[in-house]
Amino acid sequence: MANRAVHPATPLAGVGGEALAEFIGTFVLVLLGNGAVASFLLFNNIAGTNAFFANTWPVVFFGWGFALMLGIYIAGAISGAHLNPAVTISFAATRRFPWNKVGPYIVAQFLGAFVAAAFLFFVYRGAITHTLGGASLNAANVNKVGLAFYTGKRDFVGLFGAFCAEALGTAMLVGLILAIVDARNQPVQANLNPLIIGLVLAAIGCSLGIITGFAVNPARDFGPRLWMTLAGGGLGALNSYTWVPIVAPIVGGLIAAFGYDYTIGRVLAERGMRRSGTAVTRGEAVREPDMHVDTGGRPIREEGRGRTFRER
């Protein structure tokens, strides 16, 4: 038998490539999403810059919705496009995702958000300087511009209310993602999952977002917050509210993932529902009856009740 050359797999063929996709997808998400917030906050009530729609709340929640859509389209076929530690942890806790990949995914997500904030900071440097009245960024004035990068509650909203808003918003996001990508439950066709999930985030921003700025994603908040801290904001950015958009989304995501499995997921299983629709997202394996897909359209095989694994 003739010798056949064997080419060893590169890191990009495995979890390294998936982490890179998470980094780039999260970078796009935060760059475009926070860019919408920056246009809303930093150019508000400035003579000659009040362009139609640019200084209104819809530009924020639609901006984040479209940003999420594009991030998922970029990373979906490679990593599943979690782009959010709350999604990654929720999927792992409910056996939709292997725990050994959680660390690389979350690190990549935080780094993507951090680098995106750095890019955005320099792009909007003129607007930041103008908003600060020419003063240098410091702990006392960082919140005048910082909310274009990270989130915060309204002054009249209590800490408990802010925590509940973030947890509920993330629960809605994770729960609706699971409902949308479950192939037993009227799956979206024609590769439209990213668009529909983006609109889910826009709906959450429209209904709950104005309370806290709807982080619903620990990386989206902490990565930019850490950048603003290092850029001069110090403890003004890394303040007592920092833990809320980290912990609350994880709690909300876990509640939603387990809640879905024991409500809608259980009903679908008990009714013997099979995969519906005709869309094939990655190979013919997705045609098997007990398959459903993740946020980016990658197939997941169900191996018994409440136990799922990503199909390779």
Side-chain angles (χ1 to χ4, degrees), residues 5 8 12 31 35-36 57 75 82 99 101 112 127 133 135 142 159 177 196 211 217 219 251 280-281 292-293 304:
L12 292 181
L31 183 72
W57 182 243
H82 296 182
W99 278 106
K101 292 184 179 181
V142 65
L159 200 61
I177 285 173
I196 303 304
I211 300 172
N217 182 337
V251 171
V280 176
T281 56
H292 42 122
V293 297

Side-chain angles (χ1 to χ4, degrees), residues 10-123:
T10 67
L12 292 181
V15 68
E18 294 175 24
L20 179 61
E22 286 293 303
F23 171 86
I24 296 173
T26 308
F27 174 87
V28 170
L29 167 68
V30 174
L31 183 72
L32 299 182
N34 270 346
V37 181
S39 70
F40 172 75
L41 290 177
L42 301 181
F43 285 85
N44 208 359
N45 297 321
I46 300 176
T49 63
N50 290 329
F52 173 72
F53 191 67
N55 307 124
T56 61
W57 182 243
V59 78
V60 175
F61 60 76
F62 278 125
W64 275 107
F66 290 134
L68 178 58
M69 175 193 73
L70 294 172
I72 295 175
Y73 272 124
I74 288 172
I78 300 172
S79 69
H82 296 182
L83 315 183
N84 184 338
V87 172
T88 300
I89 292 171
S90 298
F91 281 16
T94 53
R95 297 186 177 184
R96 290 177 167 87
F97 186 71
W99 278 106
N100 65 324
K101 292 184 179 181
V102 169
Y105 268 52
I106 290 178
V107 170
Q109 291 157 3
F110 277 108
L111 285 175
F114 179 85
V115 174
F119 273 74
L120 200 65
F121 182 85
F122 290 109
V123 169

Side-chain angles (χ1 to χ4, degrees), residues 165-292:
E166 285 292 330
L168 179 59
T170 312
M172 293 297 296
L173 177 64
V174 172
L176 287 168
I177 285 173
L178 292 176
I180 290 166
V181 303
D182 193 330
R184 303 167 298 172
N185 189 33
Q186 292 186 323
V188 177
Q189 302 295 298
N191 198 26
L192 290 177
N193 274 351
L195 173 60
I196 303 304
I197 294 171
L199 292 176
V200 167
L201 183 60
I204 292 169
C206 179
S207 60
L208 299 170
I210 204 164
I211 300 172
T212 60
F214 70 113
V216 298
N217 182 337
R220 167 265 182 273
D221 186 271
F222 187 74
R225 190 183 294 270
L226 181 60
W227 166 259
M228 292 300 288
T229 297
L230 299 177
L235 294 180
L238 205 63
N239 52 40
S240 60
Y241 183 77
T242 301
W243 68 275
V244 173
I246 296 175
V247 177
I250 294 173
V251 171
L254 288 170
I255 291 172
F258 282 106
Y260 182 84
D261 283 347
Y262 285 97
T263 55
I264 298 298
R266 179 62 61 87
V267 171
L268 291 171
E270 294 295 336
R271 291 170 66 90
M273 301 298 289
R274 298 297 186 180
R275 184 182 187 276
S276 62
T278 58
V280 176
T281 56
R282 186 177 178 179
E284 294 301 311
V286 78
R287 295 184 185 276
E288 297 184 21
D290 290 327
M291 302 281 285
H292 42 122

